Amino acid sequence: MAAISPVHPGAGLNGVDHRNSRRVAVVERDPNLRQQIQHSLLTRQFAIVECANATALYRNLLSAPCDIAVIASDLPDDNPRNVALHLRQHSDIGIIVLDADAGYGGQSDGYHEIADACFRKPVDLDGLATVVTAMHSLQHHMRALPTRAGGGQPEWELALDGWTLRTPDGASIDLSAPERSVLLRLVNTGAGGHPVSHDSLIGSLTNDVYDFDPHRLEMLIYRLRKKVALMSPLPLPLRAVRGMGYLCTIVRANG
């Protein structure tokens, strides 16, 4: 993989702060698809950096960091998983993967653990634009806050009524009704370390799982992670399990 220097949040080589510049890198070898994505995101007032391969992405990031990178799974010059891992290690950039082999609803075995979202090809352009907009809004809010420091043991508790999540370092996080439903399903069904399927989690939100856009579940979890990050330096103990669903180590409070 072509190596790049660490991309510090918001700062380019010229020292200019590019935070919240609404710049999105679209890394896709197909020029027609790049143009389609560009047109869709331009309607949301995003600035697009077109990249035909990973090398072009690295070159652009060094001079003008982006807020979000949309990366195809079939890059000609690098393994996209390596690209995503490298970005995750060296920057706070949001990562969306376009995977031709993803299952229904964009569920991708290879990228859930390193990407913030995954879309199946052919790409739902409206859905992609919606997710990019939501991710950027959350980034803007989080970057405006001072850095928190702290520690704690990984003992997370969901209140008996399910409306409050308590972190190991003492923070109490109020949950929305959808967040409560998903966490209750995760804690109750996943007790004992069992993964909970995507369909089961969607079933906690709607009676008709087949008429529910799975990307809504992905964005709910993404927003919940960001909500937790605003309140605690500890990451939400929720991870994707390849080909199965999600697993969390949150426990129900005893009282």
Side-chain angles (χ1 to χ4, degrees):
M1 177 180 69
I4 62 173
S5 302
V7 181
H8 299 292
L13 292 181
N14 55 9
V16 176
D17 192 345
H18 293 280
R19 287 174 182 263
N20 309 309
S21 60
R22 297 186 71 82
R23 185 179 287 108
V24 178
V26 178
V27 193
E28 164 62 54
R29 66 193 305 173
D30 181 352
N32 292 327
L33 181 54
R34 287 204 310 271
Q35 287 294 316
Q36 291 173 17
I37 296 174
Q38 177 179 0
H39 177 74
S40 176
L41 294 179
L42 284 174
T43 63
R44 304 287 184 106
Q45 286 76 54
F46 285 99
I48 309 303
V49 178
E50 288 191 67
C51 305
N53 50 49
T55 302
L57 170 66
Y58 297 150
R59 183 171 59 249
N60 279 290
L61 287 179
L62 284 173
S63 60
C66 297
D67 299 303
I68 297 167
V70 179
I71 306 171
S73 63
D74 54 349
L75 300 181
D77 62 339
D78 206 346
N79 184 318
R81 182 176 179 83
N82 290 340
V83 176
L85 283 170
H86 197 61
L87 294 177
R88 182 65 72 215
Q89 292 167 356
H90 295 292
S91 73
D92 64 349
I93 193 170
I95 300 173
I96 299 174
V97 172
L98 309 180
D99 187 1
D101 297 322
Y104 173 73
Q107 297 172 12
S108 174
D109 293 347
Y111 299 100
H112 268 306
E113 295 179 4
I114 54 176
D116 296 305
C118 185
F119 280 79
R120 182 179 183 177
K121 289 185 177 181
V123 181
D124 174 2
L125 295 176
D126 289 338
L128 176 62
T130 298
V131 170
V132 168
T133 301
M135 288 177 64
H136 183 270
S137 177
L138 286 166
Q139 286 178 329
H140 180 85
H141 184 54
M142 290 184 65
R143 288 170 177 173
L145 297 177
T147 302
R148 295 174 60 95
Q153 299 300 316
E155 298 175 355
W156 296 68
E157 286 189 341
L158 183 64
L160 286 177
D161 61 9
W163 287 106
T164 304
L165 178 64
R166 300 188 181 96
T167 71
D169 57 345
S172 293
I173 302 169
D174 295 332
L175 301 175
S176 66
E179 292 166 347
R180 174 180 182 267
S181 297
V182 167
L183 282 184
L184 282 171
R185 182 64 57 90
L186 281 165
V187 171
N188 294 336
T189 306
H194 301 293
V196 182
S197 70
H198 295 91
D199 284 347
S200 178
L201 294 176
I202 291 174
S204 71
L205 299 170
T206 179
N207 291 326
D208 186 358
V209 297
Y210 298 105
D211 194 38
F212 184 91
D213 182 358
H215 290 305
R216 292 174 57 190
L217 174 63
E218 301 295 335
M219 286 310 302
L220 185 152
I221 291 175
Y222 176 80
R223 292 190 183 101
L224 179 58
R225 291 187 194 278
K226 297 302 183 182
K227 177 188 285 190
V228 169
L230 297 178
M231 299 293 294
S232 171
L234 304 174
L236 183 70
L238 173 63
R239 66 181 180 88
V241 180
R242 293 182 58 183
M244 300 184 70
Y246 285 92
L247 176 67
C248 80
T249 55
I250 299 171
V251 299
R252 290 291 293 276
N254 292 322

